[in-house]
């Protein structure tokens, strides 16, 4: 019988067969790899362990799949896609639930068990070095990976705890479209939800404390998205903080008081101001695992924690809060845990990310402000100069390509790719050409030398790269400038 069944037995279910891995005298079950958390990072780590042939135990409280499958990427992108296709909210919800179940089925406990992974349901708490307890069962591992993810952050706004607000963990439970929605937070999650709900027909107010949407992106990207939102009827409040939330009747309208006067009234409130890690609940200090000031598990470039033999991956590290980054970290953590002298660093600089609004905002590597400190050059191409964008009548957006000098070679061959930002309907697809060039450390000029099919969206990348060598339609690469205050 599996360790999963042992944990079930400890909660009162009958067990008739002997427990695999049982140790007499209360000794812990032993395994090679213990993974805490069944989200993207945890699944990747567990599967990496199984592929290596090491005995792997995955501990997860709740359904396997975690935030991304049930309350993150899958439901949000399904709603966005459905809204863009003109479906009703009810139709979108049906499609969303079907998508969740289809994707969840490929990573269920049964599927993982068939791959050789012992899945235990429950919350794991550290009781010593690489030792946890789950449902009364003690497990000790040669190596452990912490992949417990994150949860929505709730800001300290007066009255907010007494208001029935939504987060990404609950907004996708809606079955009926609210007539009006107030969204706190103009980052990726807030912007994606704002546009989708508006396209379904809700009145939407988006409140962002910073002076622009998507504050971590290039200012030009923020400006494009703000213009699109205004045209589509999303009411955007920038440089504005909510000071109080009121709801006089449970389930009734919610009122947000804004800094400097004024208010927003809506039938529903969504809080999307960021994430906080799920690390402290594990009793990490019992294992020698230290947390930083924000509660993230401290890790080095190899994803090692402060405890020998314990690694961490995904949101809980605070390194990069994206599903694909978590997946990469999960696999890399296991590689480093068992790879001995062949360890590899997690390189954030070549991992792209996308905000799935319409147009999409995609980014990899440095922004212009950072590239300026590295002697970077900037090639910018408006989508209005791209024939495919003209054909599609989707000329909002741009490609911004960043390149810097190579040691000894300077800007020969276009120099070294430092990063790029793309705002376009297919930006999330286009950005990977830049990411591949960075990963392979090719000369930036290779993007210009590569023949692209016409007329495709990706020709925009080639047109931008050509500016590193010559003037193209009056545009040529320029020196990078600092674009925000230090």
């Amino acid at each position: 019988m599996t360790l999963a069944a042992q944990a079930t037995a400890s909660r009162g279910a009958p067990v008739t067969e002997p427990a695999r891995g049982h140790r007499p005298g209360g000794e812990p079950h032993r395994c090679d790899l213990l993974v805490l958390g069944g989200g993207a990072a945890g699944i990747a780590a567990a599967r990496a362990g199984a592929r290596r042939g090491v005995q792997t135990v995955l501990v997860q409280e709740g359904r396997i799949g975690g935030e991304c499958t049930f309350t993150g990427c899958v439901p949000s992108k399904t709603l966005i896609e459905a809204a863009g296709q003109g479906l009703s909210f009810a139709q979108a919800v049906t499609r969303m639930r079907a998508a969740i179940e289809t994707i969840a089925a490929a990573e269920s406990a049964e599927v993982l068990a068939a791959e050789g992974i012992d899945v235990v349901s429950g919350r794991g708490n550290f009781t010593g070095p690489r030792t946890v307890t789950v449902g009364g069962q003690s497990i000790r591992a040669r190596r452990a990976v912490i992949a417990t993810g994150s949860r929505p952050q709730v800001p300290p706004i007066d009255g907010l705890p007494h208001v029935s607000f939504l987060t990404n963990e609950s907004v996708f439970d809606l079955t009926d479209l609210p007539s009006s929605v107030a969204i706190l937070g103009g980052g990726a999650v807030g912007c994606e939800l704002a546009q989708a709900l508006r396209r379904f027909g809700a009145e939407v107010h988006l409140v962002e404390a910073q002076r622009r949407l998507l504050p971590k992106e290039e200012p030009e990207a923020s400006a494009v998205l703000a213009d699109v939102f205004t045209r589509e009827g999303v009411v955007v409040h920038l440089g504005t903080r909510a000071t109080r939330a009121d709801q006089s009747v449970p389930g009734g309208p919610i009122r947000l008081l804004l800094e400097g006067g004024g208010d927003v009234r809506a039938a529903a409130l969504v809080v999307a101001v960021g994430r906080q890690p799920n690390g402290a609940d594990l009793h990490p200090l019992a294992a020698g695992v230290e947390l930083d000031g924000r509660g993230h598990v401290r890790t080095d470039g190899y994803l090692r924690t402060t405890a020998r033999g314990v690694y961490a991956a995904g949101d809980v590290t605070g390194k990069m809060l994206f599903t694909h980054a978590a997946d990469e970290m999960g696999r890399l953590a296991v590689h480093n845990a068992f790879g001995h002298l062949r360890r590899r660093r997690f390189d954030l600089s070549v991992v792209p990310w996308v905000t799935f609004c319409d147009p999409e905002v995609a980014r990899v590597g440095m922004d212009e402000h950072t590239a300026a400190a590295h002697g970077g050059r900037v090639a910018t191409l408006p989508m209005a100069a791209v024939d495919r964008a003209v054909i599609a009548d989707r000329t909002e957006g741009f490609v911004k390509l960043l390149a810097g000098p190579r040691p000894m070679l300077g800007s020969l061959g276009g120099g070294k790719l430092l990063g790029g930002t793309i705002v376009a309907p297919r930006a999330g697809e286009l950005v990977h050409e830049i990411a591949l060039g960075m990963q392979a450390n090719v000369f930036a000029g290779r993007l210009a030398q590569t023949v692209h099919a016409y007329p495709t969206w990706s020709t925009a990348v080639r047109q931008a790269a050509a500016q590193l060598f010559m003037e193209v339609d009056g545009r040529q690469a320029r020196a990078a400038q600092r674009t925000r205050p230090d």
Side-chain angles (χ1 to χ4, degrees):
M1 187 182 72
T2 67
L3 187 60
Q6 295 180 46
T8 301
S10 72
R11 294 191 293 271
V15 176
T16 57
E17 56 180 311
R20 179 167 65 101
H22 175 72
R23 300 290 186 272
E27 292 184 16
H29 170 91
R30 296 181 182 274
C31 64
D32 295 314
L33 173 64
L34 172 64
V35 180
L36 294 169
I43 292 172
R47 282 177 161 160
R51 284 193 296 270
R52 282 182 169 269
V54 301
Q55 185 182 5
T56 302
V57 175
L58 172 67
V59 177
Q60 165 69 356
E61 185 178 27
R63 294 182 69 180
I64 300 292
E67 186 265 346
C68 177
T69 300
F70 300 107
T71 62
C73 306
V74 174
S76 66
K77 279 50 177 180
T78 306
L79 285 188
I80 291 165
E81 190 74 19
Q85 294 174 1
L87 272 63
S88 69
F89 187 73
Q91 291 171 321
V93 168
T94 299
R95 178 187 288 187
M96 175 187 71
R97 291 177 178 169
I100 289 172
E101 292 307 315
T102 298
I103 292 172
E107 53 193 22
S108 67
E110 292 75 17
V111 169
L112 296 182
E115 296 176 10
I117 299 166
D118 202 354
V119 179
V120 177
S121 178
R123 175 178 296 197
N125 293 311
F126 280 109
T127 56
R130 301 186 303 284
T131 303
V132 302
T133 58
V134 187
Q137 171 70 49
S138 181
I139 309 170
R140 180 171 174 78
R142 287 174 52 210
R143 300 288 186 271
V145 176
I146 301 172
T148 47
S150 63
R151 61 186 183 275
Q153 180 178 334
V154 179
I157 296 174
D158 189 25
L160 188 60
H162 308 293
V163 168
S164 54
F165 62 87
L166 302 168
T167 68
N168 76 292
E169 291 185 344
S170 54
V171 69
F172 301 114
D173 292 333
L174 291 172
T175 55
D176 298 310
L177 179 69
S179 58
S180 56
V181 182
I183 300 177
L184 281 178
V189 174
C191 285
E192 289 178 356
L193 286 174
Q195 189 176 45
L197 293 173
R198 177 58 190 152
R199 288 184 169 186
F200 285 124
E203 176 186 330
V204 177
H205 287 258
L206 183 58
V207 181
E208 167 57 44
Q210 301 297 317
R211 290 177 293 179
R212 58 188 179 92
L213 299 175
L214 302 181
K216 295 181 180 179
E217 304 295 347
E218 297 276 22
E220 305 97 306
S222 303
V224 171
L225 205 58
D227 288 344
V228 170
F229 279 17
T230 298
R231 289 201 306 269
E232 295 189 1
V234 177
V235 182
V236 179
H237 306 263
L238 297 177
T240 305
R241 296 181 182 275
T243 59
R244 182 173 177 78
D246 289 321
Q247 188 175 33
S248 57
V249 179
I254 297 171
R255 179 180 178 230
L256 279 180
L257 276 68
L258 305 180
E259 190 177 51
D263 63 6
V264 171
R265 299 170 188 264
L269 170 64
V270 179
V271 175
V273 298
R275 311 283 298 177
Q276 60 185 45
N278 295 323
D281 295 342
L282 297 171
H283 303 157
L285 292 180
V289 175
E290 295 180 4
L291 307 181
D292 66 16
R294 299 186 61 189
H296 298 111
V297 174
R298 291 186 185 277
T299 55
D300 64 9
Y302 299 99
L303 303 177
R304 296 176 295 196
T305 72
T306 54
R308 183 179 178 84
V310 181
Y311 293 71
D315 286 11
V316 75
T317 68
K319 289 184 182 296
M320 218 174 204
L321 277 61
F322 303 109
T323 298
H324 51 286
D327 176 85
E328 176 68 11
M329 281 188 269
R331 288 184 283 108
L332 188 59
V334 172
H335 171 85
N336 290 340
F338 294 95
H340 306 297
L341 299 178
R342 297 180 291 110
R343 294 188 176 94
R344 300 199 312 269
R345 287 182 173 273
F346 176 60
D347 186 0
L348 286 76
S349 69
V350 296
V351 179
W353 64 87
V354 185
T355 298
F356 290 89
C357 291
D358 184 16
E360 296 172 353
V361 179
R363 158 99 173 273
V364 63
M366 298 180 188
D367 60 7
E368 181 176 351
H369 179 86
T370 307
H374 291 77
R377 293 190 298 150
V378 183
T380 303
L381 180 78
M383 294 308 293
V386 180
D387 288 356
R388 181 55 185 270
V390 174
I391 292 168
D393 194 25
R394 294 297 308 274
T395 55
E396 70 276 16
F398 59 89
V399 174
K400 177 185 276 192
L401 194 62
L402 303 165
R406 288 179 177 273
M408 307 294 292
L409 299 177
S411 294
L412 182 69
K416 175 185 176 68
L417 285 168
L418 299 179
T421 292
I422 304 176
V423 180
R426 295 291 181 268
E429 313 302 328
L430 304 185
V431 74
H432 294 98
E433 183 172 2
I434 305 173
L436 175 60
M438 295 174 64
Q439 176 71 45
N441 196 29
V442 304
F443 286 96
R446 295 298 186 193
L447 301 182
Q449 292 176 323
T450 302
V451 177
H452 291 61
Y454 179 88
T456 59
W457 291 99
S458 61
T459 57
V461 177
R462 186 185 194 190
Q463 290 175 248
Q467 295 177 34
L468 296 170
F469 301 95
M470 67 188 80
E471 184 176 301
V472 182
D473 297 329
R475 288 177 289 271
Q476 193 166 9
R478 58 173 173 78
Q481 304 293 321
R482 295 187 180 276
T483 56
R484 62 177 185 269
D486 289 321

